[in-house]
Amino acid sequence: MQKKRVVIKVGSAILVENQKINLERIESLVQLINEIRNSYEVILVSSGAVASGFTALELDKSNLSNKQALAAIGQPLLMQTYARALGKYGILSAQVLFSGYDLDSRKRTRNAQNAMEVLLQNNVLPIINENDVTTTGELMFLGFGDNDQLSAYVTHFFCAHLLAILSDIDGYYTANPHTNPNAKMRKIVTQLSEEELAAEATPNNAFATGGIVTKLKAAQFLLERKREMFLSSGKDLTILRDFLLEHRHEKGTLFTSNPNS
């Protein structure tokens, strides 16, 4: 039986703590990926290149050239960290870097799709990131400039049925839970308003590029294409595990065009 395909996106807010890569989080993430690969084909979209670079060379991240240099230093360090963690489970990984042009060209997109199918057919874990070294904003014309929305495009173009975003934001609430004690988590969302999508992004981490709004835009992109997104805590991976393997939805928010989900 053909396995369903899922994209897991993990952001800097989860991977980085005190301006260093959190190795325990990566170990926990890899353990989860190993477990769900018995039931799903998995594609990982991972932030963290700039943060990894910063652990080796402390440059001013507000300068674009410095940030690109940090990404160049950090991307291989990040992949080495993943490779060591994945090696304990005998999982081979592959680095895949995208710029905006790669998903704005039918030929390049088709080439990427063909390569992705080969990787997945051979049980390789693709690890995707934006090509921060050469990307200077051209992704914006596609409607994204962060890994939340990149992961939505990956979900669509590589035919995954679900995008799972692991974040320090553990779900989508009726109001800001940090300022409103009456805020309640919305477990299922079937549509988003223009006002929700137009709110100001509020990243919570020095290395992050988005916030809840970039996640809502990713969800909207997938809702329009009849695909689903699940937003949950990256600090408690049992929530995503239970959702994927036990079909239990107790926490987190599912964005779906199917109201009966």
Side-chain angles (χ1 to χ4, degrees):
M1 185 175 69
Q2 181 68 33
K3 293 180 182 178
K4 286 187 174 181
R5 185 172 297 177
V6 62
V7 174
I8 297 177
K9 183 267 177 179
V10 60
S12 294
I14 294 301
L15 294 179
V16 181
E17 195 166 286
N18 299 322
Q19 300 192 347
K20 292 184 178 181
I21 294 294
N22 189 318
L23 297 179
E24 289 185 6
R25 294 256 173 86
I26 287 186
E27 293 281 353
S28 297
L29 174 62
V30 166
Q31 184 177 1
L32 172 67
I33 289 172
N34 179 62
E35 187 173 3
I36 67 173
R37 269 165 46 105
N38 292 323
S39 303
Y40 295 91
E41 291 182 335
V42 180
I43 299 172
L44 177 64
V45 176
S46 176
S47 302
V50 174
S52 291
F54 192 79
T55 64
L57 181 63
E58 295 187 9
L59 297 177
D60 178 7
K61 299 178 295 296
S62 64
N63 178 285
L64 177 59
S65 296
N66 286 352
K67 190 173 182 179
Q68 290 173 308
L70 288 172
I73 296 166
Q75 188 62 35
L77 295 177
L78 180 64
M79 290 302 298
Q80 287 172 13
T81 302
Y82 273 119
R84 283 193 293 269
L86 291 163
K88 297 176 183 177
Y89 300 95
I91 299 175
L92 181 64
S93 60
Q95 173 181 271
V96 183
L97 298 177
F98 282 121
S99 67
Y101 301 110
D102 296 317
L103 298 180
D104 192 50
S105 159
R106 289 185 180 179
K107 182 177 180 180
R108 290 180 180 177
T109 300
R110 185 170 62 252
N111 289 342
Q113 289 169 330
N114 292 340
M116 188 65 63
E117 292 302 323
V118 172
L119 291 172
L120 293 172
Q121 287 169 12
N122 285 277
N123 211 29
V124 177
L125 174 70
I127 302 179
I128 296 175
N129 198 353
E130 182 180 333
N131 191 350
D132 292 317
V133 179
T134 59
T135 297
T136 57
E138 75 267 20
L139 287 179
M140 290 301 182
F141 74 83
L142 285 178
F144 62 92
D146 61 86
N147 276 346
D148 288 328
Q149 292 171 88
L150 170 61
S151 62
Y153 275 69
V154 167
T155 302
H156 172 63
F157 284 113
F158 299 133
C159 302
H161 88 285
L162 175 76
L163 166 61
I165 292 187
L166 297 171
S167 175
D168 60 339
I169 301 169
D170 62 352
Y172 186 38
Y173 288 79
T174 55
N176 187 337
H178 298 296
T179 58
N180 188 337
N182 297 317
K184 292 182 173 56
M185 184 180 291
R186 300 172 63 182
K187 290 184 66 177
I188 295 180
V189 175
T190 58
Q191 59 183 6
L192 293 163
S193 68
E194 291 184 8
E195 289 77 15
E196 289 171 295
L197 296 169
E200 184 179 354
T202 54
N204 298 321
N205 181 283
F207 294 97
T209 56
I212 187 61
V213 178
T214 61
K215 293 165 180 57
L216 296 183
K217 289 179 178 178
Q220 180 66 16
F221 178 86
L222 294 174
L223 286 173
E224 291 172 353
R225 289 156 181 82
K226 307 301 181 185
R227 299 187 191 277
E228 296 183 332
M229 186 181 105
F230 186 68
L231 173 62
S232 65
S233 171
K235 299 176 182 179
D236 183 1
L237 298 184
T238 60
I239 297 171
L240 178 58
R241 181 203 174 279
D242 290 347
F243 181 79
L244 291 176
L245 297 183
E246 308 294 338
H247 307 291
R248 195 161 65 235
H249 182 190
E250 296 178 355
K251 297 180 180 179
T253 301
L254 176 65
F255 297 84
T256 176
S257 57
N258 180 6
N260 297 319
S261 293

